[in-house]
Amino acid sequence: MTDPNAIQPSELDQLPDRDPEETAEWQASLDAVAAAAGPHRAAYLMRRTLERAEGAGVALPKLLETDYVNTIPTAAEPAVDGDEAMEQRITAWNRWNAAAMVTRGSKYGVGGHIATFASAAWLYETGFNHFFRGKEGDGSGDQLYIQGHASPGIYARAFLDGRISEEQLDNFRREAGGNGLPSYPHPRRLPWLWEFPTVSMGLGPISAIYQARFNRYLTNRGIKDVSDSHVWAFLGDGEMDEPESTTALTLAAREQLDNLTFVVNCNLQRLDGPVRANFKIVQELEAQFRGAGWNVIKTLWGSAWDELFRLDTTGALVRRLREVPDAQVQTYQTRDAAYIREDFFGKDPALVEMAKLLSDDKILECFHVSRGGHEPRKVYAAYRAALSHKGAPTVILAQTVKGHTLGEGFASKNANHQMKKLTVDEFKAMRDRLELPIPDSRFADGVVPYAHPGADSPEVRYLQERRAALGGPAPARRVHPVAPLPQPAEKAFTAFDKGSGSQNVATTMAFVRLVKDLVRDKETGRRWVPIVPDEARTFGMESLFPSLGIYSPMGQTYEPVDRDQLMYYKEAKNGQILNEGITEAGAMAEFIAASTSYATHGETMIPFYIYYSMFGWQRTGDQMWQLGDQLGRGFLVGATAGRTTLTGEGLQHADGHSPVIAATNPAALTYDPAFAYEIAVIVKEGLRRMFGEAKPGEDQDVFYYLTVYNEPLPQPAKPQTAGIDEGIVKGLYRFNTAESAGLSPAANAPRIQLLGSGTAIHWALKAQAMLAEEWGVAADVWSATSWTELRRDAMEADEALLRGEERVPYVRQALQGADGPVLAVSDYMRQVPDQIAQWVEQDYTSLGADGFGLSDTREAARRHFGVDAESVVVAALAQLARRGEVQATAVKEAREKYGL
């Protein structure tokens, strides 16, 4: 009977066969092998043939999975360039002190992780001894993304090296006293050691990819040659489930980032149990990375397995290793030899015969401890191969045992991530296992001692000599002394002072125009890094395409369809614009790399990232915290901002809350400018503070978040008022009074203060005129450029008061003497303007766009949320009526008049 699912000859007509007879011979040979030697032998031959074809450059789909064995066979491993016995002793000291530090800290209840570094020790130590370039040599050194839970091992090595004291080890996770160590890699808490915060799962991988890409960007643009820098990212196999971990794999392969290596610690365990209990995470990751175009190196089995593979003349062992799920491998690591003989070897007659040749000790050595990631020679071979590979990034899948060397109570136990300490007896057993000279007398009163061979010991001298040869200590963060950037010409900033006249201009367009002028500056223009996620035309940035170019390491290998147009799509190897495609996460990762270039490479860059405001703090807020953690500097620009300004788009695009989220980040200076000249003042101040001459005690490690709008509106001239720039920067200034607006209120007219931010100030200005002309109320209008900065200043004043210092918050100073109540309005939820309520002495109320967004015209949306000019008028009258300054009937009359 014919198989209905079989491919019929007619289906292959589109692939003409020039030699059907030769094809038939190949197929017959395959059938013969399958019949005579079995399907496993046939599959083996096919895999080897495909590998040969790939190596010969034959254009075939890549083989996505290889056998569950080491990529580099033992015979091909290069000799380690160093003293292996000495490195064993150094690693033993570091294992001990890492475990002792966490155990000693457990008495304070601060926690810590032991098992991760225990599994990954050789992955780090091999790199520190032979590969990781420091920052005291030429160039910028390497960039190391350390797995967060492995931090105790890094601290232990720094202790051995003399960079961290015993007192600091004892203050692990206890920083309040000022001499402690943060739990995880954190540049803001330990800025001389850590470069990259990595413990938020998934952010390390994507950041490493974009750091490697930004390194190429700096080199290709001629800013600095950092081609010798290599990016190393140490990751967990469970961490690879995070979408950010793999979202940019194809970018790394597409741009041939061979300056990047991922090292995935495949201990087969996540926090609660196996990563892939019923499957094989290594094989899954191999297929994923190979499919994305990466070079994959598997370092799975230790040298104890060599004998078993030599005995595997039928391929039965390799087949069995491929089929055993990860959870069962974990079980083998905790069971005796009899169980392994029966469950692993007993499934195949050939394996039963093999097991007869193996002692129990040999079986336990292989299945309990012998993993590729635990043998420095195999790790060394993998790292050397990674650095030698050109044209693609490399991932090393290193198999380890979680809790290795900590004893049977830890190794491969599901709960070992939550296990924070060892007993004294377990430490003594560990001491003997690691062959450390620590006498029992050191365990006084049951306290586990730290151990150090001595500052002048052979181990410490060797460690320091190896690091000196590689360019100094690592990890390390260095902020190179660089001259402050000069301020751009004043002309760029004053261009908006006269306003736009009769022309309506959106503040988004005003910002883009400002940047166009700033990138032309001879001194600082080349340091601007414009970043946009495939929305440049939305924000009016297409005019920058031909002048600045879009960065592409390949240049432009095609003729653009719009080549004959003035603003054509121009890609260039030295392009300045980073147009990231539809990836806000990728754009943020690029921004972080650019914003920290002053420290990573000693090159100050000025990044600005412009995006739909809804897709910033809401979608990539975790990365914005990472930006603050990493001490990044630059401008985040939330365009098409506000709940009601993006007409027609609706709920998923209507941002009514990003300033609330931004306000929670201490490093974010959040501004909601209303007018073009305000943007110029804020950007000028940001350039000075972050990249220029800082004032005494001023924190430069901040970033600016500006909201800008797509609604074309009149841009007024800058008021000629003393101190206006200070007010813009601090967050509040009076834009006009009823009198200066030409409204001529009566001498005894009720008065109210209207505070507006962003586009909402236009509603306030319209309401100002309506209040005067229709209700006899005098209103002064204030521009609140930053509710958040006002609040922070007020909080600092409160803290000063607790110290006995008298200080008046700026918001109170600004509003001092202003008659009447205060009504605040913005295009965000009321929580935004309400940030300052407790420090305003006048009666205070607010309007805002609370709730979910909706699709409609701007006018209808504003009426729906009760923030349009008519709603402002009614709210103002109600506030005055409560004070007895207008008749209560006026409120009802106004509601009816305006149809509210």
Side-chain angles (χ1 to χ4, degrees):
M1 180 179 292
T2 303
D3 182 356
N5 296 316
I7 298 177
Q8 303 304 312
S10 60
E11 297 179 50
L12 301 176
D13 289 346
Q14 60 179 320
L15 301 173
D17 190 343
R18 292 184 297 177
D19 193 341
E21 185 175 348
E22 182 184 37
T23 302
E25 290 174 357
W26 277 72
Q27 292 172 336
S29 297
L30 183 63
D31 292 342
V33 170
H40 297 297
R41 176 62 180 168
Y44 175 85
L45 292 176
M46 286 299 299
R47 285 196 295 273
R48 294 295 174 264
T49 302
L50 288 171
E51 288 172 356
R52 174 60 65 88
E54 182 179 338
V58 177
L60 283 173
K62 287 191 175 182
L63 188 66
L64 296 185
E65 271 192 44
T66 60
D67 286 324
Y68 202 63
V69 297
N70 294 346
T71 302
I72 304 171
T74 300
E77 294 169 3
V80 176
D81 180 22
D83 186 334
E84 295 183 59
M86 180 69 73
E87 292 173 19
Q88 287 276 4
R89 294 201 296 275
I90 290 171
T91 303
W93 290 111
N94 292 338
R95 287 182 182 278
W96 177 272
N97 287 318
M101 174 175 59
V102 176
T103 297
R104 287 167 66 117
S106 66
K107 68 180 180 180
Y108 302 107
V110 294
H113 300 286
I114 303 177
T116 295
F117 177 73
S119 69
W122 278 115
L123 303 181
Y124 293 104
E125 294 294 324
T126 302
F128 286 130
N129 288 329
H130 300 281
F131 294 97
F132 303 157
R133 291 163 53 90
K135 298 183 177 298
E136 295 176 0
D138 295 334
S140 302
D142 290 350
Q143 288 82 58
L144 309 180
Y145 288 78
I146 305 294
Q147 193 179 3
H149 294 147
S151 64
I154 310 304
Y155 290 138
R157 193 172 215 273
F159 170 64
L160 198 68
D161 193 15
R163 294 199 292 161
I164 284 178
S165 67
E166 185 170 316
E167 179 188 3
Q168 286 175 294
L169 290 186
D170 252 1
N171 284 330
F172 174 58
R173 291 193 168 197
R174 295 192 299 142
E175 300 177 77
N179 197 32
L181 299 176
S183 53
Y184 302 123
H186 208 305
R188 190 167 285 277
R189 288 298 179 208
L190 204 61
W192 60 268
L193 181 73
W194 299 119
E195 276 195 286
F196 308 107
T198 53
V199 80
S200 188
M201 298 287 99
L203 298 191
I206 190 173
S207 295
I209 289 173
Y210 278 91
Q211 181 65 59
R213 187 193 192 216
F214 189 74
N215 290 356
R216 289 280 172 85
Y217 173 88
L218 285 179
T219 300
N220 289 337
R221 285 200 55 217
I223 302 291
K224 182 179 182 179
D225 185 355
V226 294
S227 53
D228 285 340
S229 289
H230 199 83
V231 179
W232 300 83
F234 290 84
L235 317 168
D237 47 0
E239 181 179 6
M240 300 311 294
D241 284 348
E242 289 284 3
E244 295 88 353
S245 294
T246 55
T247 188
L249 296 186
T250 52
L251 167 74
R254 184 169 64 248
E255 299 201 358
Q256 301 179 1
L257 298 181
D258 50 24
N259 60 339
L260 170 68
T261 297
F262 275 15
V263 182
V264 184
N265 178 17
C266 298
N267 56 35
L268 312 186
Q269 287 184 252
R270 55 190 182 198
L271 307 190
D272 288 332
V275 178
R276 292 291 182 274
N278 297 297
F279 306 92
K280 302 191 79 63
I281 186 60
V282 168
Q283 299 299 88
E284 179 182 319
L285 291 175
E286 178 185 28
Q288 191 170 18
F289 277 90
R290 283 186 182 275
W294 286 53
N295 175 46
V296 179
I297 298 173
K298 293 196 291 191
T299 303
L300 308 180
W301 306 112
S303 56
W305 284 82
D306 290 348
E307 179 183 346
L308 277 68
F309 288 123
R310 284 194 298 269
L311 294 172
D312 185 29
T313 57
T314 66
L317 176 63
V318 173
R319 291 197 300 273
R320 182 70 178 128
L321 289 174
R322 281 177 61 87
E323 68 187 24
V324 175
D326 284 351
Q328 192 62 27
V329 173
Q330 181 181 349
T331 298
Y332 293 148
Q333 291 163 358
T334 63
R335 295 300 188 91
D336 60 20
Y339 177 88
I340 298 171
R341 284 181 187 276
E342 178 182 353
D343 192 87
F344 182 84
F345 292 97
K347 303 296 184 182
D348 187 296
L351 293 180
V352 171
E353 294 303 312
M354 179 189 293
K356 292 177 181 177
L357 304 175
L358 304 174
S359 67
D360 284 356
D361 287 344
K362 182 67 175 181
I363 288 175
L364 293 178
E365 180 185 11
C366 288
F367 284 85
H368 282 193
V369 297
S370 186
R371 299 292 182 271
H374 296 325
E375 297 194 9
R377 183 175 289 258
K378 295 191 180 298
V379 176
Y380 181 93
Y383 287 4
R384 185 63 65 200
L387 292 179
S388 299
H389 188 83
K390 301 303 177 185
T394 293
V395 60
I396 297 169
L397 304 175
Q399 188 160 274
T400 66
V401 175
K402 194 166 186 178
H404 181 60
T405 73
L406 297 179
E408 294 181 0
F410 265 84
S412 291
K413 296 297 175 65
N414 280 341
N416 61 20
H417 191 79
Q418 279 71 39
M419 296 162 68
K420 312 299 182 186
K421 59 184 178 180
L422 282 74
T423 66
V424 169
D425 287 342
E426 287 172 326
F427 264 107
K428 290 180 178 178
M430 180 183 175
R431 171 201 61 189
D432 298 341
R433 194 178 305 115
L434 297 176
E435 300 180 351
L436 289 172
I438 305 172
D440 286 353
S441 59
R442 292 286 311 279
F443 293 84
D445 300 320
V447 177
V448 179
Y450 294 119
H452 198 292
D456 196 39
S457 64
E459 292 91 341
V460 172
R461 289 201 306 271
Y462 179 89
L463 182 155
Q464 293 176 340
E465 288 168 3
R466 298 302 300 184
R467 288 312 314 159
L470 287 166
R477 181 178 182 271
R478 297 285 186 270
V479 180
H480 304 272
V482 293
L485 294 184
Q487 278 284 74
E490 191 70 16
K491 181 180 178 181
F493 302 108
T494 59
F496 302 98
D497 286 1
K498 293 182 180 179
S500 62
S502 60
Q503 181 182 7
N504 289 344
V505 177
T507 51
T508 299
M509 297 301 103
F511 176 83
V512 171
R513 179 188 161 184
L514 175 62
V515 170
K516 286 173 64 176
D517 291 341
L518 292 174
V519 295
R520 295 192 187 103
D521 184 82
K522 292 181 180 179
E523 294 289 333
T524 60
R526 66 196 295 260
R527 297 192 175 274
W528 282 85
V529 183
I531 302 171
V532 58
D534 199 39
E535 289 281 3
R537 297 182 192 277
T538 301
F539 308 135
M541 292 176 59
E542 65 271 24
S543 61
L544 298 177
F545 289 169
S547 58
L548 300 184
I550 300 165
Y551 172 73
S552 169
M554 305 301 174
Q556 193 155 39
T557 61
Y558 61 92
E559 183 178 355
V561 67
D562 53 0
R563 182 63 180 85
D564 58 345
Q565 298 179 16
L566 181 63
M567 293 184 286
Y568 70 97
Y569 195 84
K570 177 187 175 183
E571 296 187 80
K573 190 172 182 178
N574 64 346
Q576 193 165 349
I577 301 170
L578 292 168
N579 194 346
E580 295 302 323
I582 306 176
T583 167
E584 284 84 8
M588 269 306 304
E590 194 84 72
F591 183 88
I592 292 169
S595 71
T596 53
S597 179
Y598 73 93
T600 308
H601 295 300
E603 291 289 343
T604 300
M605 305 301 287
I606 311 171
F608 82 86
Y609 166 34
I610 187 168
Y611 54 90
Y612 266 70
S613 65
M614 187 67 158
F615 305 149
W617 288 94
Q618 175 172 300
R619 179 171 290 184
T620 57
D622 197 8
Q623 288 177 290
M624 290 165 177
W625 276 95
Q626 181 188 10
L627 167 65
D629 292 346
Q630 202 167 316
L631 289 78
R633 306 170 183 174
F635 296 96
L636 295 177
V637 184
T640 60
R643 184 80 84 193
T644 69
T645 57
L646 190 57
T647 178
E649 287 284 2
L651 186 153
Q652 292 174 327
H653 288 67
D655 173 22
H657 51 277
S658 67
V660 178
I661 308 174
T664 65
N665 190 308
L669 307 187
T670 303
Y671 287 89
D672 187 25
F675 304 126
Y677 66 79
E678 294 177 352
I679 293 173
V681 170
I682 293 165
V683 171
K684 179 182 178 181
E685 171 66 8
L687 290 174
R688 181 205 63 78
R689 177 168 178 174
M690 295 185 290
F691 308 109
E693 294 282 358
K695 298 174 183 177
E698 190 173 50
D699 185 6
Q700 285 190 285
D701 298 322
V702 296
F703 60 93
Y704 281 65
Y705 173 54
L706 279 69
T707 51
V708 293
Y709 300 82
N710 71 323
E711 183 178 8
L713 290 165
Q715 295 298 326
K718 183 178 181 180
Q720 299 302 306
T721 308
I724 186 172
D725 284 9
E726 179 188 25
I728 291 171
V729 171
K730 288 191 172 182
L732 184 68
Y733 69 96
R734 183 156 49 193
F735 175 73
N736 69 15
T737 63
E739 291 76 10
S740 64
L743 297 175
S744 304
N748 60 348
R751 187 171 290 269
I752 190 169
Q753 309 298 319
L754 302 180
L755 278 57
S757 69
T759 195
I761 201 169
H762 295 277
W763 318 332
L765 288 169
K766 183 178 177 182
Q768 179 189 44
M770 295 169 65
L771 283 166
E773 295 165 2
E774 301 175 25
W775 305 98
V777 171
D780 301 337
V781 175
W782 300 68
S783 180
T785 53
S786 179
W787 310 100
T788 302
E789 287 306 295
L790 292 172
R791 175 180 176 82
R792 286 177 177 167
D793 172 81
M795 291 172 66
E796 290 173 6
D798 287 353
E799 292 169 6
L801 189 62
L802 292 175
R803 297 192 300 268
E805 303 170 18
E806 288 293 335
R807 180 179 155 193
V808 180
Y810 176 79
V811 64
R812 190 169 294 167
Q813 294 179 44
L815 290 171
Q816 187 174 12
D819 293 335
V822 171
L823 173 61
V825 60
S826 80
D827 202 16
Y828 297 96
M829 56 199 306
R830 291 176 61 181
Q831 191 173 339
V832 175
D834 284 352
Q835 290 180 86
I836 66 170
Q838 72 186 82
W839 291 282
V840 175
E841 292 182 315
Q842 294 89 340
D843 292 341
Y844 186 93
T845 191
S846 64
L847 296 175
D850 286 77
F852 289 103
L854 77 168
S855 300
D856 214 311
T857 64
R858 294 185 179 112
E859 294 74 15
R862 286 162 188 166
R863 176 56 59 90
H864 169 81
F865 287 110
V867 292
D868 58 356
E870 291 78 5
S871 298
V872 174
V873 169
V874 172
L877 292 173
Q879 203 171 358
L880 291 168
R882 285 194 295 270
R883 295 162 57 92
E885 296 182 24
V886 300
Q887 295 295 322
T889 55
V891 181
K892 181 175 184 294
E893 182 182 345
R895 279 201 302 266
E896 293 173 352
K897 179 176 181 178
Y898 301 134
L900 296 180

